[in-house]
Amino acid sequence: MTTLLVPEPAREVRDFLSQTHKLLIGGKRVDAANGETFEVQDPSNNLVIAHAPKGGKEDIDRAVKAARDAFVNKPWRKLTVSERGKMLWKLADLIEERVEEFAQLETLDNGKPLAISRAADIPLTVDHFRYYAGLATKIHGETLDISVPYAPGASFFDFTLREPIGVVGQIIPWNFPLLMAAWKLGVALAAGNCVVLKPAEQTPLSALRLADLFAEAGFPDGVVNIVTGFPEAGAALSAHEGVDKVAFTGSTEVGHEIVKASAGNLKRVSLELGGKSPSIVFPDADLNLAAAGVAGAIFFNHGQCCCAGSRLLVHQKIYDELVGRVSEQAEKIKLGPGMHPDTEMGPLVSIEQQNRVLSFINTGKNEGAKVLLGGDSPSGDMASGCYVNPTVFEKVQPKMEIVQEEIFGPVLVAAPFEDLEDVIAKSNNTNYGLAASVWTRDINKAHKAARGLKAGTVWVNCHNIFDANAPFGGYKQSGYGREMSLHALENYTQVKNVIVQLH
Ligand code: NDP
């Protein structure tokens, strides 16, 4: 891109950025207890665009108490499920009325192209809240026939109640800030829980704007509390004895910390962690479709997707052709600031993430992998932002760090395979198991691969397809529990069995 001149954000976005931002605790907008704030940067130029409150342990404690009070004493528990659903629907409407504002905030904060924020992040958020608005009235228990062999002749009626868990701590990442908040909040609220949400420090803005909308949507004070801050806030939330369940999306490393911290009061945990998902291309695939799909699988959201197709496994017969085509696609991607109308790939979220990705690239080079494309950051106008060029490594070895570790950037590692058995073994040869895609026209191969892959999601002839009604989550060290769909309710409800003896 020749110029980095970008349109000014909309007036309401500028107004919001210039505000003094506050936490949401017990329905009130408050400063962090220590009065501290932190800088929020635009990763396209690293300029400070806002200041967010730096909530810590004391704020988490206040927020957990407010959530408990709302769960036990406030009208929330007495509302009908239909009323809960209506609030979620209203929240979705309020976001939809502000698509452009939320999209611009997300782009300024995270760096992703505005076209993507507008077309994907915000509409998916709206749709997600609507899905759980509808589901609020469909949560139900069951009736069971029981025999009770040691009570011959007695008659029983057994039924289950599906009840909310209580106070839920939710810790979310920066790659899809508002959408990740929706994935966590929608199901928790539909099921009748109260929440303390901790956004990522890199991207607090859309959550702070969302905080303005809960009261208008009708949620009683304290049902949703939002505490922005640093890892201390997340650690305090996951260890807090007043929290009944913690849900986390982020790195596998922090996932381990969350599990340890949860032990104090044995709180329930659900984890959506890292991945090293393979895109698998068989020789009978539609190669145009596959090349575009494989490139999209890794370069969408700049590779900052937990399910990014970061490993490419191509049948040896078409290896050179397919890898060549994917590299051509990658070379054409227009890098630039997310707010620029021509941008197809923006900067990474932060300097730390840029350095982390560049460090993996250096490791790959040192390990002897061959750089086919990229492998560095752009110079010139873009040097002041957190950019990394789309990168393709080829003929990598299974033990290399760049093959085993989640890089979370626009870096693809490619290797050939011989047959179905070989590719299933290679695909499953990591600690992760979040997702995979299979590119083939052969339905038998597609089904056999889907069954053989140890992954929570398998896409066939597509990648990165999400829907609120489709469960998402990991095998192995990619986590446990499912996001979205009916399955997510299992993380946010507990089953009470009631046995009535009939006389
Ligand atoms: P983290 O896992 O550190 O951050 C995710 C969230 O956890 C943030 O809200 C963070 O807060 C919070 N957090 C950090 N430490 C703790 C803790 N000890 N206890 C509780 N909460 C905590 O990811 P990073 O941002 O550091 O990114 C590093 C790598 O993690 C990426 O390169 C990528 O590999 C992976 N990642 C995976 C994601 C996924 O979707 N699976 C999403 C994001 C990252 P704070 O922001 O204040 O640090």
Side-chain angles (χ1 to χ4, degrees):
M1 214 168 285
T2 51
T3 171
L4 295 184
L5 285 178
V6 292
E8 232 190 6
R11 187 185 45 77
E12 59 273 24
V13 174
R14 282 183 275 133
D15 289 349
F16 176 77
L17 292 176
S18 64
Q19 280 175 25
T20 303
H21 298 292
K22 308 239 179 196
L23 309 173
L24 174 65
I25 298 181
K28 299 200 170 50
R29 303 310 293 268
V30 295
D31 292 323
N34 58 14
E36 287 183 34
T37 61
F38 62 96
E39 292 179 342
V40 182
Q41 281 152 350
D42 172 350
S44 72
N45 51 25
N46 286 310
L47 297 177
V48 175
I49 51 173
H51 290 84
K54 191 173 161 194
K57 199 165 182 288
E58 202 180 327
D59 303 291
I60 290 292
D61 196 44
R62 286 195 288 166
V64 171
K65 285 190 177 128
R68 177 66 59 194
D69 187 42
F71 188 70
V72 176
N73 301 319
K74 294 276 164 59
W76 179 240
R77 287 301 299 278
K78 300 197 183 90
L79 294 176
T80 65
V81 286
S82 169
E83 285 167 320
R84 283 208 307 255
K86 276 189 203 149
M87 288 172 193
L88 282 165
W89 195 278
K90 174 80 177 167
L91 184 65
D93 286 346
L94 294 172
I95 299 167
E96 196 170 47
E97 285 163 21
R98 295 163 178 79
V99 168
E100 184 60 23
E101 184 185 348
F102 272 110
Q104 291 194 17
L105 276 179
E106 211 70 321
T107 287
L108 288 165
D109 207 4
N110 166 280
K112 63 180 70 196
L114 185 54
I116 299 293
S117 300
R118 276 182 190 142
D121 289 62
I122 315 303
L124 278 171
T125 298
V126 170
D127 188 60
H128 193 86
F129 279 124
R130 291 209 174 118
Y131 177 84
Y132 281 103
L135 207 58
T137 49
K138 286 144 204 96
I139 300 167
H140 57 78
E142 58 201 336
T143 59
L144 301 163
D145 290 328
I146 59 171
S147 305
V148 197
Y150 56 83
S155 176
F156 296 95
F157 174 52
D158 188 322
F159 66 96
T160 63
L161 296 171
R162 205 166 252 280
E163 297 185 334
I165 290 178
V167 174
V168 173
Q170 302 187 317
I171 302 168
I172 56 170
W174 40 260
N175 49 347
F176 297 90
L178 189 66
L179 186 58
M180 290 302 102
W183 278 22
K184 297 272 184 281
L185 287 167
V187 57
L189 297 172
N193 299 282
C194 292
V195 176
V196 178
L197 180 82
K198 153 70 178 78
E201 70 191 63
Q202 296 84 350
T203 54
L205 296 180
S206 53
L208 288 168
R209 183 70 183 100
L210 187 68
D212 296 334
L213 305 181
F214 290 102
E216 193 178 342
F219 290 95
D221 291 349
V223 170
V224 178
N225 305 273
I226 299 184
V227 179
T228 51
F230 281 19
E232 297 73 41
L237 188 57
S238 52
H240 202 292
E241 303 244 332
V243 172
D244 303 306
K245 179 215 155 46
V246 66
F248 171 74
T249 298
S251 60
T252 296
E253 192 188 345
V254 173
H256 285 258
E257 294 301 316
I258 303 266
V259 172
K260 283 185 219 152
S262 71
N265 66 335
L266 293 180
K267 57 175 69 66
R268 287 153 186 75
V269 180
S270 53
L271 302 170
E272 202 261 271
L273 307 176
K276 194 74 189 176
S277 303
S279 296
I280 301 166
V281 187
F282 287 98
D284 55 44
D286 174 336
L287 294 194
N288 287 330
L289 187 76
V294 165
I298 178 63
F299 299 119
F300 171 68
N301 215 43
H302 328 161
Q304 300 169 132
C305 285
C306 46
C307 52
S310 50
R311 285 186 295 151
L312 172 58
L313 295 167
V314 190
H315 191 274
Q316 57 196 12
K317 263 205 270 184
I318 54 157
Y319 177 84
D320 288 332
E321 182 181 355
L322 198 275
V323 173
R325 285 198 199 199
V326 172
S327 300
E328 274 168 33
Q329 298 266 347
E331 210 168 0
K332 284 191 264 174
I333 295 172
K334 290 185 189 139
L335 237 66
M339 292 294 281
H340 195 291
D342 295 339
T343 293
E344 292 168 347
M345 186 192 280
L348 301 190
V349 74
S350 63
I351 295 178
E352 290 74 30
Q353 194 59 19
Q354 181 191 28
N355 287 338
R356 188 183 148 90
V357 171
L358 290 173
S359 152
F360 270 115
I361 290 174
N362 275 336
T363 304
K365 289 174 183 169
N366 293 336
E367 283 177 315
K370 183 178 163 206
V371 181
L372 205 59
L373 183 77
D376 53 9
S377 282
S379 52
D381 285 350
M382 278 184 264
S384 58
C386 307
Y387 298 92
V388 173
N389 283 316
T391 297
V392 179
F393 279 104
E394 73 151 341
K395 297 212 168 132
V396 293
Q397 297 303 318
K399 287 210 167 111
M400 287 179 176
E401 207 175 309
I402 56 167
V403 177
Q404 290 296 329
E405 297 298 326
E406 181 177 57
I407 298 177
F408 226 63
V411 181
L412 181 65
V413 299
F417 70 84
E418 285 170 24
D419 54 22
L420 183 67
E421 199 183 332
D422 180 40
V423 79
I424 295 295
K426 283 181 169 145
S427 297
N428 292 338
N429 183 25
T430 76
N431 289 331
Y432 297 112
L434 196 55
S437 60
V438 181
W439 300 82
T440 177
R441 287 181 170 118
D442 180 340
I443 194 162
N444 288 310
K445 236 180 256 167
H447 280 281
K448 281 183 184 163
R451 280 168 192 260
L453 289 162
K454 292 195 174 18
T457 295
V458 177
W459 288 291
V460 177
N461 294 326
C462 58
H463 199 113
N464 284 337
I465 299 297
F466 300 99
D467 187 89
N469 201 25
F472 184 78
Y475 276 35
K476 300 195 281 184
Q477 293 207 29
S478 290
Y480 42 75
R482 291 294 175 268
E483 305 267 3
M484 302 197 283
S485 80
L486 291 171
H487 292 277
L489 281 175
E490 284 154 29
N491 303 331
Y492 288 93
T493 55
Q494 49 196 345
V495 173
K496 180 181 281 172
N497 191 48
V498 183
I499 302 180
V500 181
Q501 184 162 8
L502 305 173
H503 293 285

